Amino acid sequence: MYLSQLKNTSWKVTGGLDDTNMIYSFSDKEIYWYSISGSNKTLEYTYLYYLTDNVPQSYDSTLVGKSSSGCYIVKYNPQMDEFIYYIIKSYDITKGTMTLLPRSTEPLIGGMASEIRFKLVE
């Protein structure tokens, strides 16, 4: 996966989470997590992120906006002071689909989905 493939794209959650009324939008440094209700879109969280080819053991803020490729998306949640990484299981821009496998190095409150499926927002 290349940063250029994610940058300036938005993805609607289609499966894997209890609530699929969410959109993830990517810039070169941030993931914006929106909740949607009808035609209303509300920004819920903003996370710094980066891509890496190595399984992350900790969050490395120096890679934000500088790491241009990788098979893992690493994001930091400042509200919970924890980082989560996603294995990029599949990405098909022609079909407009992406599947991520969320992982953490520590147990998370409330657990974690086994996979999250997305559809590209046109």
Side-chain angles (χ1 to χ4, degrees):
M1 168 77 67
Y2 293 97
L3 183 60
S4 60
Q5 293 172 288
L6 283 177
K7 183 179 172 184
N8 300 323
T9 63
S10 294
W11 299 84
K12 183 180 184 315
V13 174
T14 59
L17 296 175
D18 292 338
D19 184 1
T20 57
N21 291 317
M22 291 181 277
I23 292 177
Y24 285 37
S25 294
F26 292 84
S27 74
D28 58 340
K29 297 179 182 180
E30 295 174 314
I31 299 172
Y32 305 97
W33 179 13
Y34 296 93
S35 61
I36 51 174
S37 177
S39 62
N40 296 325
K41 188 166 86 168
T42 305
L43 180 62
E44 299 290 342
Y45 300 103
T46 301
Y47 304 107
L48 293 173
Y49 84 100
Y50 61 90
L51 297 172
T52 183
D53 279 322
N54 303 312
V55 176
Q57 299 304 311
S58 63
Y59 181 77
D60 185 350
S61 62
T62 64
L63 295 176
V64 173
K66 296 181 180 144
S67 179
S68 61
S69 66
C71 54
Y72 300 97
I73 298 171
V74 184
K75 77 173 187 181
Y76 178 68
N77 181 340
Q79 292 85 3
M80 302 294 284
D81 191 29
E82 65 190 9
F83 82 96
I84 296 170
Y85 65 95
Y86 300 90
I87 300 167
I88 302 166
K89 179 179 177 184
S90 66
Y91 172 87
D92 187 333
I93 196 64
T94 58
K95 293 181 182 176
T97 60
M98 177 169 64
T99 301
L100 303 179
L101 307 177
R103 300 292 184 261
S104 177
T105 57
E106 298 185 22
L108 299 176
I109 297 171
M112 184 180 295
S114 59
E115 74 175 28
I116 306 171
R117 293 176 303 282
F118 298 87
K119 181 78 175 159
L120 184 64
V121 176
E122 300 292 331

